Amino acid sequence: MEQEKLQSIIESVLFVSGEGIKKSKLAKIAGVENGVLEEVLGKLTEKYSLPRSGLTLLAKGEEVQLASKADNVVFVEQMVKNELAEGLSPAALEVVSIIAYRGPISKTEIEAIRGVNCSYTLRNLLLRGLIERSDNPRDSRGYVYSISFELLKKLGVDRVEKLPDYATLSTEERITSIISTDTENNPENN
Amino acid sequence: MEQEKLQSIIESVLFVSGEGIKKSKLAKIAGVENGVLEEVLGKLTEKYSLPRSGLTLLAKGEEVQLASKADNVVFVEQMVKNELAEGLSPAALEVVSIIAYRGPISKTEIEAIRGVNCSYTLRNLLLRGLIERSDNPRDSRGYVYSISFELLKKLGVDRVEKLPDYATLSTEERITSIISTDTENNPENN
Amino acid sequence: MAYHIKLEQFEGPLDLLLQLTEQEKLDITRVSLAQIADQYLDYISHAQNITLDHLADFLSVAARLILIKSKALLPLLEFTEEEEEEIRDLEHQLAEYKKFKDAAKKVGDLVDAPFVSFTREGFSGLGVVFYPPENMTAEDLKKAFEKVVGEIPVVEKLEQETVRDILTLEEKIVHLQDALRQRAHASFSELIANAKDKVEVVVSFLAMLELVKQRIIHVEQEGLFSEIQLKHKEEK
């Protein structure tokens, strides 16, 4: 395979992996010898060293990892703060409320209730520490979500039962019925 | 600030964010005008279009997101699970196409084009995260639908403008007039 | 039945019409719509897979096809402005739908092609930091949850109920036949006197056409918009 294509492949794989990845694994994925891989990594390092690049290749023992350039840390931190510290969108607030009143609850159930995919919102709420996840007792591959203790405290209550109208809202029948009808029909069959 | 440094900053921020991010936020973080940001994004797109790049810049409405190059799917799949592997039914493909070429678009407008109720298909696409809904600016009780970054990733294109026949299909005059008469007659569009 | 059309699964009246024109290798014109009107009517009167909640969509297209067909048979027949408009809309809708159906095939090729982008976990490597929204209260949570509950659709069941009352074409044909047998002679307006809505009138009209075609009844109409008289053939 030609050099340029190899560079492209390795960059794609490094980008997606997020964490550090063993060089031997990279070589295996790209289907090349270790020596060839070293060359490609060298080329990438060279490319990232240009002032216009925002990426850098970290190497630690046998592992390599793609990261953002250290010079830009101020801007990156500002972005993280902006994204995580801003007010909740109405959609995110709805997800939190479902988790508060119906938690612990699975992603599939939350999505059945709202009729919209919630992967992104759930991740964001987890990162902000507003919700927590634990293993789903009914499905070993999945998680269930509950409101975090910190958020409850911030709202001035020490457990969900003290949320306004908890007794009636948490047993709201329309929610129960949509969960049961929708999770029966596999949503993926379209 | 000079162009090269700006490119570096934007690339770093896009890399760490991982998610879609509004162009206006990027401009604010980098402390530049929207026009300057557009230029920088143009430069990045140019850089990523080189064969040796493994990245691509997805663009959707006011948002952009960094992603791996679509050509490298076979290699990337060895690292992470392809969650977008599942196909789309003919009905789902029609709805997705109408949304891609004509979105943001209301349910009534989609149904005017297809001549058939689309609630079920829309719900499925929403649950799969392939389309998104937002409040309809012309009708507060209704929604408009647009495509998601997930869909762009699945199609392997970086923006809807790259879809086949985009220019002709997205600007059909007569469609616009059918749609406008149809929505006037039917206020129940959601 | 004279026609045994083999079509792919179709979804909705426009899809059916489009498939019929494509099968006959016709462009979408008024002439070709008149040509396939009978096939369309046959198809919807015998199709098992048209659900009741879609029936109204199919019938509204059927009504326009009948207009086009009548004009082809009776060139003197003049359309009202409203009818002309409805037919023009149908032609355009069909042409537009065709564009998107063709586009959907190309988009489908992209879906099947081995090109897929991947993105990375957002903010990966960052630990969880507690970032509560500034002014959020327990009351906000309650309101948000009530909104969620309020948006859960209860509508779909209602739709089913209202359509359930409408007779299918098959049932209507039997009904018409019985009514005519009892009276030997009736006017169309008598037969539809109890119709609940426009859809049922259209169904009755379709049933009448079907009976004429099967030579079970005979119809007469003295002039444009005048009363249609129906007679059972056996009773002649």
Side-chain angles (χ1 to χ4, degrees):
Chain A
M1 206 178 312
E2 55 172 303
Q3 259 273 3
E4 297 216 318
K5 176 68 181 162
L6 270 176
Q7 259 192 63
S8 166
I9 292 168
I10 301 295
E11 190 171 50
S12 283
V13 174
L14 284 170
F15 171 80
V16 171
S17 83
E19 292 163 15
I21 177 171
K22 281 220 173 83
K23 287 188 205 168
S24 51
K25 192 173 176 191
L26 262 184
K28 205 179 142 206
I29 288 174
V32 294
E33 301 282 312
N34 289 342
V36 179
L37 180 78
E38 288 295 347
E39 264 175 55
V40 175
L41 291 177
K43 286 274 176 203
L44 282 175
T45 310
E46 216 173 279
K47 179 171 101 173
Y48 298 148
S49 68
L50 295 174
R52 70 159 178 271
S53 173
L55 305 177
T56 184
L57 193 67
L58 306 178
K60 202 180 80 187
E62 259 305 289
E63 288 195 355
V64 282
Q65 178 177 0
L66 207 55
S68 68
K69 216 170 236 183
D71 318 6
N72 297 331
V73 65
V74 195
F75 300 97
V76 170
E77 273 176 0
Q78 201 195 323
M79 181 274 296
V80 173
K81 228 176 122 188
N82 285 358
E83 291 292 293
L84 294 184
E86 66 181 6
L88 286 185
S89 69
L93 188 62
E94 281 179 26
V95 173
V96 176
S97 78
I98 293 169
I99 293 171
Y101 282 94
R102 295 289 305 206
I105 184 170
S106 73
K107 175 167 174 280
T108 319
E109 288 169 334
I110 299 169
E111 289 176 344
I113 293 170
R114 295 195 63 237
V116 177
N117 187 287
C118 298
S119 315
Y120 168 77
T121 311
L122 285 174
R123 272 245 312 277
N124 206 288
L125 294 172
L126 277 172
L127 272 172
R128 292 180 71 164
L130 305 184
I131 59 172
E132 289 164 356
R133 71 174 187 197
S134 47
D135 290 331
N136 187 346
R138 284 169 300 158
D139 174 6
S140 56
R141 294 158 308 162
Y143 297 107
V144 284
Y145 298 85
S146 2
I147 189 167
S148 74
F149 185 63
E150 285 89 345
L151 181 56
L152 278 179
K153 229 167 47 185
K154 158 106 178 138
L155 298 176
V157 295
D158 57 0
R159 50 200 156 95
V160 283
E161 288 80 3
K162 294 210 178 142
L163 288 171
D165 299 334
Y166 182 85
T168 35
L169 288 178
S170 65
T171 52
E172 176 52 62
E173 243 178 65
R174 278 157 81 176
I175 298 264
T176 315
S177 82
I178 193 136
I179 289 177
S180 57
T181 52
D182 218 88
T183 39
E184 275 164 32
N185 313 335
N186 181 359
E188 248 92 14
N189 59 2
N190 194 21
Chain B
M1 206 178 312
E2 56 172 306
Q3 257 271 4
E4 296 216 319
K5 176 66 180 161
L6 272 175
Q7 259 191 63
S8 167
I9 292 170
I10 300 296
E11 191 170 51
S12 285
V13 170
L14 285 170
F15 177 82
V16 175
S17 143
E19 314 281 355
I21 184 165
K22 282 217 173 86
K23 290 191 222 168
S24 54
K25 280 189 189 167
L26 279 178
K28 209 177 137 205
I29 290 166
V32 294
E33 301 280 310
N34 290 342
V36 177
L37 181 80
E38 289 291 349
E39 265 173 53
V40 175
L41 292 176
K43 287 276 177 204
L44 282 175
T45 307
E46 218 172 275
K47 181 171 97 172
Y48 298 149
S49 68
L50 296 174
R52 70 159 176 273
S53 171
L55 305 178
T56 184
L57 189 67
L58 307 178
K60 182 202 77 169
E62 268 305 294
E63 287 179 82
V64 285
Q65 180 173 19
L66 208 53
S68 71
K69 207 170 245 184
D71 317 28
N72 296 334
V73 56
V74 280
F75 304 98
V76 175
E77 262 176 338
Q78 299 175 50
M79 265 308 293
V80 291
K81 194 174 155 243
N82 183 359
E83 275 160 4
L84 298 167
E86 213 173 330
L88 289 169
S89 71
L93 275 175
E94 279 178 32
V95 172
V96 152
S97 302
I98 292 171
I99 295 173
Y101 288 95
R102 301 288 309 181
I105 182 169
S106 74
K107 177 167 172 279
T108 314
E109 290 167 334
I110 298 168
E111 289 176 347
I113 293 173
R114 291 191 72 225
V116 74
N117 184 290
C118 301
S119 315
Y120 178 78
T121 311
L122 283 173
R123 183 173 164 90
N124 257 290
L125 291 169
L126 281 170
L127 282 171
R128 291 176 67 178
L130 295 175
I131 59 169
E132 292 169 351
R133 65 172 193 210
S134 49
D135 290 332
N136 187 346
R138 286 169 300 158
D139 174 7
S140 57
R141 294 162 306 162
Y143 295 110
V144 285
Y145 298 86
S146 41
I147 59 138
S148 67
F149 278 120
E150 294 300 296
L151 184 74
L152 287 180
K153 284 155 64 180
K154 191 177 176 68
L155 297 179
V157 297
D158 60 356
R159 60 197 68 214
V160 284
E161 288 80 0
K162 296 265 178 77
L163 290 175
D165 310 324
Y166 184 81
T168 32
L169 277 174
S170 64
T171 55
E172 231 296 318
E173 252 174 66
R174 174 68 199 206
I175 281 199
T176 325
S177 72
I178 286 181
I179 285 171
S180 57
T181 51
D182 214 277
T183 27
E184 273 158 31
N185 298 340
N186 187 353
E188 244 102 356
N189 56 336
N190 52 42
Chain C
M1 239 7 265
Y3 297 100
H4 291 281
I5 317 159
K6 285 212 177 93
L7 295 172
E8 300 167 37
Q9 283 286 82
F10 58 86
E11 229 201 289
L14 296 179
D15 197 10
L16 173 58
L17 260 187
L18 207 55
Q19 289 194 36
L20 288 171
T21 50
E22 274 164 10
Q23 184 178 262
E24 301 291 313
K25 302 194 166 50
L26 297 168
D27 292 331
I28 300 161
T29 62
R30 213 163 281 200
V31 178
S32 52
L33 287 181
Q35 272 174 277
I36 56 165
D38 284 341
Q39 291 185 39
Y40 177 91
L41 297 178
D42 276 343
Y43 210 87
I44 67 164
S45 53
H46 293 90
Q48 300 293 314
N49 55 350
I50 298 179
T51 54
L52 280 176
D53 43 340
H54 282 169
L55 192 63
D57 295 333
F58 281 95
L59 293 176
S60 106
V61 169
R64 286 181 270 178
L65 284 178
I66 290 168
L67 269 180
I68 295 172
K69 172 90 179 169
S70 343
K71 173 82 173 178
L73 293 175
L74 301 165
L76 287 179
L77 181 76
E78 282 199 22
F79 292 146
T80 64
E81 212 165 284
E82 197 185 328
E83 287 167 343
E84 181 63 39
E85 177 89 26
E86 279 184 10
I87 292 168
R88 262 205 310 267
D89 272 356
L90 178 64
E91 290 168 319
H92 273 284
Q93 249 183 306
L94 209 52
E96 292 310 329
Y97 178 58
K98 183 177 164 46
K99 280 184 194 164
F100 281 104
K101 205 169 145 87
D102 293 344
K105 288 200 186 103
K106 294 184 189 171
V107 171
D109 291 341
L110 289 178
V111 169
D112 296 335
F115 299 107
V116 182
S117 279
F118 292 77
T119 42
R120 47 198 309 277
E121 283 267 291
F123 312 100
S124 82
L126 261 69
V128 173
V129 186
F130 183 53
Y131 275 118
E134 279 301 304
N135 307 310
M136 185 176 157
T137 65
E139 202 58 31
D140 292 338
L141 265 196
K142 181 192 147 190
K143 279 196 192 120
F145 191 71
E146 282 169 342
K147 181 162 177 277
V148 169
V149 174
E151 281 194 352
I152 291 173
V154 274
V155 209
E156 278 166 34
K157 275 183 193 151
L158 285 175
E159 277 172 16
Q160 282 277 328
E161 306 262 307
T162 50
V163 193
R164 193 160 298 145
D165 300 337
I166 300 170
L167 295 167
T168 64
L169 191 53
E170 219 74 80
E171 288 170 318
K172 204 73 203 175
I173 288 174
V174 174
H175 170 81
L176 265 180
Q177 255 175 316
D178 285 351
L180 282 171
R181 238 183 229 118
Q182 279 162 19
R183 282 187 282 177
H185 193 193
S187 70
F188 187 67
S189 51
E190 284 165 9
L191 291 172
I192 57 166
N194 295 322
K196 285 181 214 72
D197 54 23
K198 216 162 127 187
V199 171
E200 203 175 331
V201 174
V202 178
V203 175
S204 300
F205 191 74
L206 287 177
M208 181 185 81
L209 289 182
E210 188 58 38
L211 289 170
V212 172
K213 197 143 116 257
Q214 294 181 21
R215 296 174 194 283
I216 293 168
I217 63 164
H218 176 77
V219 296
E220 278 172 15
Q221 186 180 28
E222 290 194 342
L224 197 55
F225 301 124
S226 68
E227 183 61 83
I228 302 172
Q229 300 293 335
L230 294 80
K231 274 183 212 161
H232 210 278
K233 283 222 167 170
E234 295 159 18
E235 311 289 334
K236 228 187 209 170

